[in-house]
Amino acid sequence: MAKMNMMPQFFAKTNRNKVPFIGVWIITIAILIFAYVSSDSSDAISFFILVGSVFWMISYIIAHIDVIVLRRRLPKAPRSFKVPGGILLPIIGILGTAYMVLNISTDPAEKYAIWGWTGGTFLILAVYSFFWIRYKMRMPVFKPVPLEKVMAMENDMFYVIRKRRGMWR
């Protein structure tokens, strides 16, 4: 994402093994801080694993919706993979994943806390994304990107040219 100017550039730095080491270190430090703060409580660790799971499942629901929308809006667009069964499998995926999110815990208080943390995380990421896209990438926030530009973004020269033209900040 840093390569595509969707995150700060320091995340794109790699070591000699081509590993984005700064992101790895940030995650490692965050895990260590969390382990220290939770006082090795397995309940806290299990809770945040469930929060991460719900976050991931909602991301999958969004991906399923994206597949349906893109196949409806751009049926002739080139693709490297075609979902078997057409729209049926993404709908089954959405329903199954939504069922898991809604039944993540048998304790209602824990369930609402999981949803609250997940919603808060999505809210923080949405605010960050809004400002990053609007002011850093200098693109309209809710306007679709043309397919030609998206396809061009897959080529490494796209970013080299943007840097040369001063469009990269």
Side-chain angles (χ1 to χ4, degrees):
M1 289 176 69
K3 177 185 160 191
M4 296 173 70
N5 199 24
M6 292 184 196
M7 291 185 71
Q9 284 302 300
F10 64 86
F11 284 110
K13 295 184 188 297
T14 58
N15 62 14
R16 61 186 169 145
N17 297 319
K18 306 289 185 212
V19 174
F21 65 95
I22 293 176
V24 171
W25 276 109
I26 289 172
I27 295 296
T28 302
I29 291 167
I31 289 171
L32 291 173
I33 290 171
F34 172 73
Y36 180 76
V37 169
S38 68
S39 302
D40 297 326
S41 169
S42 63
D43 291 338
I45 293 169
S46 296
F47 175 78
F48 280 109
I49 287 172
L50 291 175
V51 170
S53 298
V54 169
F55 184 87
W56 202 319
M57 286 187 276
I58 291 173
S59 299
Y60 274 121
I61 290 172
I62 293 169
H64 284 302
I65 293 169
D66 289 343
V67 166
I68 293 169
V69 168
L70 287 173
R71 286 301 126 215
R72 292 288 179 211
R73 285 186 58 216
L74 303 168
K76 302 287 186 197
R79 53 187 170 188
S80 59
F81 176 76
K82 183 177 179 181
V83 176
I87 196 172
L88 183 64
L89 282 180
I91 288 174
I92 291 171
I94 290 169
L95 294 174
T97 309
Y99 176 81
M100 290 188 288
V101 168
L102 294 173
N103 296 297
I104 193 69
S105 176
T106 56
D107 179 22
E110 183 181 41
K111 183 188 308 186
Y112 296 134
I114 291 168
W115 292 349
W117 274 90
T118 304
T121 305
F122 270 112
L123 181 65
I124 290 168
L125 288 174
V127 170
Y128 165 80
S129 299
F130 175 84
F131 285 104
W132 187 270
I133 292 167
R134 182 82 177 118
Y135 298 108
K136 186 71 174 170
M137 294 177 72
R138 298 186 180 161
M139 294 175 65
V141 179
F142 294 107
K143 183 180 175 196
V145 178
L147 182 63
E148 296 78 26
K149 187 173 181 181
V150 173
M151 303 263 310
M153 288 177 180
E154 291 183 2
N155 189 330
D156 289 336
M157 286 304 293
F158 178 82
Y159 306 101
V160 173
I161 292 168
R162 282 181 60 90
K163 280 185 182 181
R164 285 186 192 153
R165 291 184 182 167
M167 299 167 71
W168 191 277
R169 291 186 176 178

